[in-house]
Amino acid sequence: MLITGIVLWWPKNKKSRKQRFSFDWKNSTKWKRKNYDLHSVAGFYISFLAVIIVFTGLIMAFEWFNGVTYKTLGGEKEVLWRVPENPSGSVTEYAETAPMDRLYFQLKEKYPQAKDLEFHYPYTSSESIYVEVGYTEGVYYNADYRFYDQNTLEEVASPTIYGAYEEAGFSEKVMRMNYDIHVGAIGGLPGKILAFFASLICASLPVTGFIIWYGRNFKSKSKASARPVKKRKLATA
């Protein structure tokens, strides 16, 4: 709809082009004209950003679209999220100090520059411990996703795109940036504000578009039907 809207919006000549890029409102401008300008002018300026928001949203919503995008970028790893298994097998008996407690102090010393360490308890005895090491507040793409064997606490390599950020290739980095791009976090607070207003204008387009469509197809018909029919005088011999 965004792409076809841009095609319909595209001006045919220079005169109409001038009216499509700015609001030219006066005291005498009717509300229908203002509604049309809100739809066409605001919709045009936000359409390119909206296409990016829609595209990144499709990647999150559909697994097949996610996979196709990643393969198109040249990726070769698994694109779906999963926690690898323990190489040493299932945990049979825990030591006096739980593995998670020991791992916490090890990583606290290993990553002093980390803003946060997010620990996830394994769902099963055969699943490795998942730790997210964040370096920047408010974004997730450049975080390190680390996995550790429950028995030995040795690091486990991940076959997916989620691993150490520095070791990720171009396609992996782009896919990991997807969420932050979608919500505007990639640009900090200004990016989030811009994404918010872009989404707000996108939500208004169906409303202003419906008003334009209704005014063209129903109001004109009702006025035409309400118009009195003039009676012709018959000629007399």
Side-chain angles (χ1 to χ4, degrees):
M1 291 176 69
L2 287 167
I3 295 171
T4 54
I6 293 172
V7 174
L8 292 172
W9 171 93
W10 205 263
K12 296 179 180 179
N13 49 58
K14 291 183 179 180
K15 184 179 179 180
S16 59
R17 187 184 305 166
K18 186 178 180 181
Q19 298 175 349
R20 300 290 176 91
F21 287 102
S22 61
F23 298 102
D24 188 18
W25 292 349
K26 302 175 183 176
N27 293 332
S28 58
T29 305
K30 295 183 179 180
W31 71 269
K32 285 186 177 181
R33 179 65 195 186
K34 291 180 178 179
N35 177 76
Y36 179 82
D37 286 346
L38 283 172
H39 184 83
S40 60
V41 178
F44 167 75
Y45 282 115
I46 215 66
S47 59
F48 300 99
L49 183 60
V51 168
I52 296 174
I53 294 175
V54 170
F55 189 85
T56 52
L58 289 172
I59 290 176
M60 292 189 291
F62 301 103
E63 291 183 1
W64 66 267
F65 194 83
N66 188 6
V68 169
T69 304
Y70 176 62
K71 295 298 181 184
T72 304
L73 292 171
E76 297 178 352
K77 295 183 178 180
E78 294 181 23
V79 69
L80 297 179
W81 167 264
R82 73 179 178 91
V83 178
E85 300 290 310
N86 293 319
S88 63
S90 300
V91 176
T92 55
E93 184 179 354
Y94 284 111
E96 185 177 346
T97 305
M100 190 75 76
D101 297 336
R102 288 184 283 130
L103 184 62
Y104 170 78
F105 291 105
Q106 290 181 18
L107 297 183
K108 191 77 174 176
E109 185 178 352
K110 186 177 180 180
Y111 300 105
Q113 75 277 23
K115 294 290 184 181
D116 59 80
L117 294 170
E118 186 178 302
F119 289 79
H120 297 259
Y121 281 88
Y123 285 103
T124 65
S125 60
S126 62
E127 193 175 77
S128 61
I129 301 171
Y130 154 48
V131 183
E132 185 176 328
V133 185
Y135 301 101
T136 309
E137 293 183 4
V139 296
Y140 300 95
Y141 74 93
N142 62 348
D144 286 339
Y145 299 89
R146 304 285 187 174
F147 306 92
Y148 298 90
D149 191 301
Q150 287 193 63
N151 292 306
T152 63
L153 294 186
E154 292 183 1
E155 189 166 355
V156 182
S158 173
T160 71
I161 64 173
Y162 300 98
Y165 182 72
E166 291 183 355
E167 299 173 3
F170 171 76
S171 54
E172 285 78 31
K173 288 181 178 179
V174 171
M175 297 303 295
R176 286 172 58 163
M177 288 180 182
N178 185 78
Y179 174 79
D180 293 307
I181 294 173
H182 183 75
V183 299
I186 197 78
L189 182 60
K192 291 181 179 180
I193 295 173
L194 184 62
F196 167 76
F197 281 107
S199 303
L200 193 64
I201 294 173
C202 285
S204 72
L205 291 178
V207 179
T208 54
F210 174 81
I211 294 172
I212 294 171
W213 171 81
Y214 186 83
R216 287 177 177 176
N217 290 274
F218 289 91
K219 294 293 183 180
S220 57
K221 290 181 181 179
S222 61
K223 286 182 179 179
S225 60
R227 211 176 283 164
V229 179
K230 293 182 179 180
K231 294 182 178 180
R232 284 186 174 184
K233 290 184 179 181
L234 297 174
T236 54

